[in-house]
Each structure stands twice: as structure tokens, then as C-alpha cells.
Amino acid sequence: MTTAHPAGQAPQSVPGPDPRAAYREALLELAAADSRVVCLDSDTGGLENTFGERFPDRYVNVGIAEANLMTVAAGLARRGFLPYVHTMATFATMRAGEFLKLDVVGNRLPVRVVATHGGLSAAHFGTSHFALEDLAVTRALSDLTVVVPGDARQIGAATRQLHEVPGPGYLRLGRSATPVPPGPAPAFRLGRARVLREGADVTLVAAGPLPLLLALEAAAELAAGGTEAQVLDLHTLHPLDHEGLLAACRGRAGVVTVEEHRPQGGLGDAVTEVVAAELALPVRRVAVRGRPGVRVAGQRAALEQLGVSTGAVAEAARHLHAARAESPAQHTAAGPTMRG
């Protein structure tokens, strides 16, 4: 577990890089260094003008046929190539989920599924493009490495490190740029959680750019009221950094998870599985709930409409802190609780 920033006021966010552009740059670097890298596209747009122009013999566009995309990738991987497949997150896990499970993960093949438009980052396209269940699916596929970079500046490192994993991988990206804290990007290590802010009272665990931004904003709001919140970036959901997670939660009043996903099967469940087994701490999940609205909205607005906001995170943390202050002995003795 690495620590990026000491306790103190959360820095004001600044515009971040485009996540897809950052990824494509990293992919080109990998392809230049490793002739086994093959790019499989599903009409996502952009790869034909980057990878396709530079490495035309290693670029294949299968069209809008996501199930076939996984099968072709599995065949190429069996022949010794390292395929990178590209589609939207909901299509990768729902439309092509069976083929991901059987052809790729079932055979432990080195296919990297690069899933863009994660969470509500394609909210303006409507509910057909929401990806709010993909992490539940991918976490359940036990041989799949699942990564959700919390900062677009870390995408290059995440891509390069995932390249070295012998089995299959799932890299969840957004669609457009999201704000990032100013200053140098914290070091990224696959499978190792990052502490972005120190705090002894409660722990906020987040995965993904906007959830992390909301957690940092909530930590600053909490600090103004006298509650110190630690913020943990749990960017690798599988394999999970058990030691780093426990170290960040031990001794706190409780844990608040923040995710751009349904509460079932995602970050909240992953954290609760560890904390409930090892620590007597309550866990509150700030996740996407209810039916998505019918109005077109931007990513953050859509997320807030569905219950994931700075205020919701801060409120959950205050509740945990107040509960321990009211009955510290009972809180210490109580077994772990899992709350929605």
C-alpha cells in the first residue's frame, strides 16, 4: 500500500487527460515493443486511426459483434498472440459475457479486455450504455485480473503492468476526461491499494475517477467538521490487496465504500467480504441505486441523481463516526455489519 498525500485539505481538482487517449498511447508503446500485441476492435472509433495506421497487420475490426470479438481473441491468444479487445463495458460483460467466461477466462488465455464507457460515463447515450453490473460479473470470474484506474494519469502504468500478467485481464475505463487532484500522479502498482489521504476516524474506499474525486471532496468536508477520513484507492478489485485494505480500515469507526456500480457484487461487496471476515467494523455502501432517470444527464449529474455524491459519502461517514462516539464499547464489541 502506497501513500500519496498527507492529511490536510483535499486539493482542488484540475482537468485530467482523456482516458481513451492515454490508453491508446500506452497500447502503441506496447505494440512497438512486443510484436505479439494484436488490437481487436468492435467499431469503437479511434483505434483505426491510431493503432490501425501504425500496425495495420495487427489491427482487426470485427464490427459490432462482441461475442465474436471474444472468440477471435481466444483463438489468437491460443496461437501465441496477446490480443487487446475493445468494446464498451456493458457489451463486454453482458452481450459477450458467456464467451468471455468460456473462451477467454475458462482457458486462462492472455486476453486483455479493455472496456470503455464504464459506469455512467456514457450516460448521455441512455440506459442501454450504462455499465453498472460489469464488476459483479468480472469479479465472479476467478482467474480474471480486474482493474479500475482511479486517475486517468495512471492508465499507462496500469496497461503496462497488466500486460505482464500471464492470464486474462479486464481494464475498466471511462469515456471522457474527469478532474484529477493537482500535482504529480501517485505511483501505481497493480494489486496494491493507494492511500490518497490520511485520516484516523473513518476510511473511505473508492474505485474509479469520479468515486475517488467524491471521496476526496467528502474527506475535505468532513475535516472542516472535525472528522478525519482516510481515502483509499482500491483500483485492483481482483486480486484484492487484503493487507492494504485491512491496514487502512483497522482502528477506524467504520468504512464507507464509493463506487460507480450497483451495490451488489462490486467494490462494496469486495470490501465487506474482507472487513467482515477480519475486523468488527460496520460498512456503508454509497453506490448506484434505483431506476436510472429518463432525462439525459452528464456523468457526474447522473451519478448524483442515483445516490452517489459528495454529500452522501460525508453523511455516511458522519453516521459511523457519531455511532462510535455514542457507544464506543458497544461498537468495539459488535460483530461486523453490512449495511446498504
Side-chain angles (χ1 to χ4, degrees), residues 45-100:
L47 287 164
E48 73 281 6
N49 299 322
T50 52
F51 195 103
E53 288 187 359
R54 186 166 174 186
F55 303 103
D57 294 339
R58 289 188 272 158
Y59 171 78
V60 179
N61 187 349
V62 305
I64 304 175
E66 290 81 5
N68 191 43
L69 178 71
M70 298 296 177
T71 300
V72 171
L76 288 170
R78 181 66 79 181
R79 297 290 293 178
F81 292 98
L82 294 178
Y84 282 73
V85 305
H86 303 85
T87 185
M88 298 184 188
T90 188
F91 303 148
T93 54
M94 295 295 169
R95 185 176 296 171
E98 181 181 10
F99 301 88
L100 172 63

Side-chain angles (χ1 to χ4, degrees), residues 194-209:
R194 300 183 297 161
V195 174
L196 300 186
R197 178 186 176 118
E198 299 285 357
D201 294 325
V202 294
T203 297
L204 313 179
V205 183

Side-chain angles (χ1 to χ4, degrees), residues 204-207 210-212 214-215 256-260 267 286-287 308 313:
L204 313 179
V205 183
L210 276 182
L212 271 176
L214 297 177
V256 179
T257 59
V258 192
E259 58 189 314
E260 195 169 354
L267 173 73
V286 176
V308 184
V313 178

